[in-house]
C-alpha cells in the first residue's frame, strides 16, 4: 500500500468537505487542526455548493500514507533500496516460494516493464536470482538469495517497530476498528479495479 505526490502536498486532490455540513456525531473532523482540515476550509469558502465530504477521508488517507512512507523509507535508503525494490523482495519473502515476473507485478501492483527493470537491479546486487522454466524458456522464476532474505529480515523489524510507535497513541480497540474500516474500503476498491481489468 503508496501515496501520490499530490497526497504528500495537500492531502489529496482537494482533501476537504466543501459544504460546511459538519455536525456532531457525523464523523467529520473538518474543524480540526490537521493539514487536510485547512484544505477543507478553503474548499468550503470557494465552493460552498459542493459536498466534498469524501475528501476528508481520502485526503487524510493519502496524507497519512505519504508521511508514513517518508519515514519508513529511511531504513530502505540506508540499505540502498527503493520502496518498489523492497516490495518485490518482500513479496518473495512472505510468499515463501519462487514467483514469475508476472506474479510479482500482480503482488506489487506494478507494470511488467517496471518489475523487469527492478529485478535486473536486484539480480546485479545478488539479492534475487532467476532461473528459466524447463518447459517454457520464455518464463522465468525468481527467488530470494540468502543475502536477499537476510536483508528483508533485517529491515522488517525496524519498520514494524516504527509503525508500532506511530500507532501508540491509538488504543488497541480503536486500532482494530480502523483496520476493519480500511480493510472494507480496500476490499471494495480492489474489487472494482479487478472488474475494470476483466
Amino acid at each position: 500500500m503508496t501515496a501520490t505526490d499530490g497526497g504528500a502536498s495537500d492531502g489529496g486532490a482537494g482533501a476537504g468537505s466543501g459544504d460546511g455540513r459538519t455536525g456532531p456525531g457525523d464523523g467529520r473532523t473538518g474543524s480540526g487542526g490537521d493539514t487536510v482540515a485547512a484544505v477543507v476550509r478553503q474548499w468550503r469558502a470557494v465552493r460552498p455548493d459542493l459536498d466534498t465530504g469524501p475528501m476528508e477521508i481520502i485526503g487524510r488517507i493519502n496524507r497519512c500514507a505519504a508521511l508514513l512512507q517518508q519515514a519508513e523509507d529511511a531504513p530502505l535508503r540506508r540499505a540502498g533500496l527503493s520502496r518498489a525494490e523492497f516490495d518485490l523482495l518482500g513479496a518473495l519473502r512472505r510468499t515463501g516460494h519462487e514467483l514469475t515476473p508476472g506474479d510479482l507485478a500482480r503482488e506489487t501492483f506494478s507494470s511488467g516493464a517496471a518489475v523487469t527493470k527492478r529485478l535486473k537491479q536486484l539480480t546485479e546486487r545478488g539479492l534475487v536470482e532467476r532461473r528459466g522454466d524447463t518447459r517454457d524458456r520464455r518464463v522465468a522464476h525468481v527467488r530470494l538469495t540468502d543475502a536477499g532474505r537476510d536483508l528483508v529480515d533485517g529491515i522488517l523489524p525496524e519498520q514494524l517497530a516504527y509503525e508500532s510507535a506511530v500507532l501508540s497513541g491509538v488504543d488497541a480497540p480503536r486500532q482494530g476498528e480502523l483496520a476493519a474500516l480500511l480493510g472494507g474500503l480496500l476490499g471494495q476498491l480492489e474489487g472494482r479495479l479487478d472488474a475494470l481489468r476483466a
Side-chain angles (χ1 to χ4, degrees):
M1 314 115 131
T2 60
T4 63
D5 290 342
S9 61
D10 70 358
S17 178
D19 65 353
R21 294 191 300 239
T22 301
D26 67 0
R28 297 186 181 181
T29 55
S31 60
D34 61 72
T35 306
V36 174
V39 177
V40 169
R41 290 191 292 271
Q42 291 168 347
W43 276 117
R44 286 176 178 168
V46 299
R47 290 300 306 270
D49 56 309
L50 295 179
D51 181 4
T52 53
M55 292 180 183
E56 291 203 33
I57 297 172
I58 303 301
R60 286 187 171 94
I61 290 173
N62 286 341
R63 181 66 174 166
C64 286
L67 292 171
L68 288 169
Q69 183 169 316
Q70 288 171 16
E72 284 188 318
D73 283 353
L76 302 184
R77 288 193 298 270
R78 288 194 292 270
L81 289 173
S82 69
R83 161 64 54 177
E85 290 170 338
F86 183 73
D87 286 346
L88 287 180
L89 296 176
L92 289 166
R93 182 67 175 106
R94 60 185 162 79
T95 57
H97 54 76
E98 294 180 342
L99 296 173
T100 67
D103 294 332
L104 287 166
R106 287 186 291 273
E107 287 284 340
T108 60
F109 303 101
S110 302
S111 69
V115 167
T116 298
K117 179 180 178 181
R118 292 163 194 157
L119 286 176
K120 181 176 184 295
Q121 295 166 337
L122 294 171
T123 301
E124 291 172 351
R125 292 187 57 184
L127 300 176
V128 302
E129 56 188 15
R130 303 168 62 129
R131 68 170 182 86
D133 190 282
T134 56
R135 291 172 295 183
D136 187 346
R137 301 185 66 176
R138 296 170 298 176
V139 177
H141 298 272
V142 184
R143 65 183 177 187
L144 285 176
T145 62
D146 290 342
R149 184 181 300 103
D150 291 344
L151 184 60
V152 173
D153 288 351
I155 292 174
L156 188 57
E158 185 177 351
Q159 288 187 299
L160 291 174
Y162 170 78
E163 292 171 2
S164 294
V166 167
L167 294 171
S168 62
V170 182
D171 62 36
R174 294 188 70 187
Q175 285 188 32
E177 292 172 7
L178 181 57
L181 289 170
L182 290 173
L185 175 61
L186 181 59
Q188 290 182 37
L189 293 175
E190 288 177 339
R192 290 172 187 168
L193 291 177
D194 287 342
L196 289 175
R197 295 191 192 102

